Amino acid sequence: MSDHFFVVTGGPGAGKTSLITELARRGFHTIPESGRAIIREELQRGGDALPWADRMAYAERMLERDLRAYSAAQALSGPVIFDRGIPDIMGYLTLCGLPVPPHVAATAKAARYNARVFLTPYWDEIFTQDSERKQTRAEAEATCAVMRETYTALGYQITELPRADIATRADFVCSQLAI
C-alpha cells in the first residue's frame, strides 16, 4: 500500500479535475485522469478504444496507463493526488454491465492507495457535458454510486467532499491530509 497516494473519485462532471488542478497549484504532486487522455488519443488516431465504442479496450488502455502512473509515482515524496485510481476501472466495467477480468480485479487489489478515498458527490448544479464527457446526469449519478460501492468493497474508507467552491474543497482535502 502506498499511504501517500490519495484518490479523488466520483462521477463525471462533479469537480474532480478542477480540484486536482487547484491542489497542483498548491504544490501537491498530482496524477491526471487517464480516461480523457485516451479519448483524445483515440479520436486523433481514429481508434475505437472509447467508452462509446469498444469499452473493454478502453478499460484495458486505462489499466495500462494507470499502472504506469502508479509505478512512476512511487518515486515521488509527499502526498500524491490521483484523479481516479485503478479501482475506478472496476467501477466503470460494472457500470457498463461488463465482466471485470480477473487481472483487473487482481491489480486493483494489489496496487493500493491510502485507505482514505475522496469522493466528489454528484452535484447537479455543476454537471456539464462536453465532447469527451457524454454521460447523462443519470449516468453521472450512477457512476458516483458505483465508485462508492467499488472502493468500499475493496476496503477503502470514503470521505465525501463538500458541495462547495474549489478553494473550499481544496482546503477540506488539505485538512484531511493533515490528520
Side-chain angles (χ1 to χ4, degrees):
M1 175 185 300
S2 292
D3 281 339
H4 67 292
F5 287 3
F6 293 88
V7 172
V8 177
T9 190
K16 290 178 306 302
T17 303
S18 296
L19 171 62
I20 299 289
T21 300
E22 174 61 16
L23 291 169
R25 190 191 68 73
R26 293 183 183 198
F28 287 94
H29 296 292
T30 59
I31 307 297
E33 174 187 9
S34 62
R36 279 189 175 259
I38 293 166
I39 290 170
R40 285 189 295 273
E41 290 167 6
E42 289 295 298
L43 289 174
Q44 193 171 52
R45 69 178 192 89
D48 66 350
L50 296 161
W52 53 85
D54 188 340
R55 291 176 167 173
M56 191 58 79
Y58 177 65
E60 291 291 348
R61 293 274 317 275
M62 283 191 294
L63 181 62
E64 291 167 14
R65 187 175 294 242
D66 288 351
L67 272 172
R68 282 195 311 269
Y70 186 93
S71 179
Q74 297 290 336
L76 301 174
S77 61
V80 180
I81 315 295
F82 288 76
D83 189 340
R84 298 198 179 279
I86 293 169
D88 280 71
I89 300 164
M90 290 178 61
Y92 167 74
L93 291 168
T94 300
L95 189 67
C96 294
L98 295 171
V100 176
H103 71 281
V104 173
T107 302
K109 290 176 184 169
R112 300 289 295 180
Y113 302 86
N114 186 283
R116 177 188 307 272
V117 169
F118 296 100
L119 178 82
T120 56
Y122 173 75
W123 189 1
D124 193 59
E125 288 78 16
I126 67 168
F127 176 80
T128 59
Q129 295 171 301
D130 59 35
S131 63
E132 296 166 359
R133 182 189 299 133
K134 297 182 178 201
Q135 297 93 337
T136 65
R137 292 176 187 280
E139 289 169 324
E141 206 164 4
T143 301
C144 181
V146 166
M147 294 310 165
R148 179 187 301 272
E149 292 165 11
T150 300
Y151 278 91
T152 300
L154 288 169
Y156 290 97
Q157 300 162 356
I158 302 298
T159 298
E160 189 169 307
L161 295 171
R163 287 180 178 92
D165 62 80
I166 295 166
T168 301
R169 277 184 162 183
D171 290 344
F172 178 83
V173 169
C174 290
S175 72
Q176 295 296 305
L177 295 180
I179 293 175

